[in-house]
Amino acid sequence: QVQLVESGGGLVQPGGSLRLSCAASGGIFSLYAMGWYRQAPGKQRELVASITSGGRTNYTDSVKGRFTISRDNTKNTVYLQMNSLKPEDTADYYCNAKLILGPVAMDYWGKGTLVTVSS
């Protein structure tokens, strides 16, 4: 069982920056693919960025060039650096851990951290 705890959310002005962190415990962190998702009010949850166990990254088009996902396997933590924030980035941000071993798929979620971009 993997536990994920997000932190770093808050209120920021448009154009500002935030860094989200997700601390993992209870599993072999380096084996997991990690992702950040977000869900805005009235909208479906969407994948923002992901990073494989090998460090390969992927971003949704709306955040490319502004957000950076990274991981520190020595600290069991994944980060999301968010720059040039826009009001449309306002959402609850969730950390996700995935591991597929043959027929077994493991999928864990944190409880989320709120990011509000407003002047």
Side-chain angles (χ1 to χ4, degrees):
Q1 188 77 7
V2 173
Q3 293 81 44
L4 303 172
V5 179
E6 303 97 335
S7 61
L11 174 64
V12 63
Q13 292 187 340
S17 297
L18 282 175
R19 189 176 82 155
L20 305 183
S21 300
C22 171
S25 60
I28 304 176
F29 177 78
S30 61
L31 297 180
Y32 284 80
M34 302 298 298
W36 286 98
Y37 289 71
R38 67 185 178 188
Q39 187 167 19
K43 295 189 177 181
Q44 288 190 329
R45 189 173 295 189
E46 64 170 346
L47 175 64
V48 176
S50 62
I51 184 166
T52 66
S53 58
R56 187 168 65 249
T57 59
N58 185 59
Y59 300 91
T60 192
D61 285 346
S62 62
V63 308
K64 285 180 180 176
R66 300 189 298 123
F67 291 10
T68 302
I69 188 171
S70 61
R71 64 190 299 160
D72 185 338
N73 290 339
T74 66
K75 296 182 179 179
N76 289 357
T77 301
V78 62
Y79 304 97
L80 186 68
Q81 178 67 44
M82 305 186 294
N83 300 327
S84 303
L85 282 160
K86 304 176 181 180
E88 52 263 43
D89 295 317
T90 295
D92 286 303
Y93 283 71
Y94 298 89
C95 180
N96 174 261
K98 285 188 174 61
L99 178 62
I100 298 175
L101 293 175
V104 179
M106 288 166 272
D107 196 12
Y108 301 99
W109 293 90
K111 293 184 178 181
T113 185
L114 177 62
V115 172
T116 303
V117 185
S118 175
S119 55

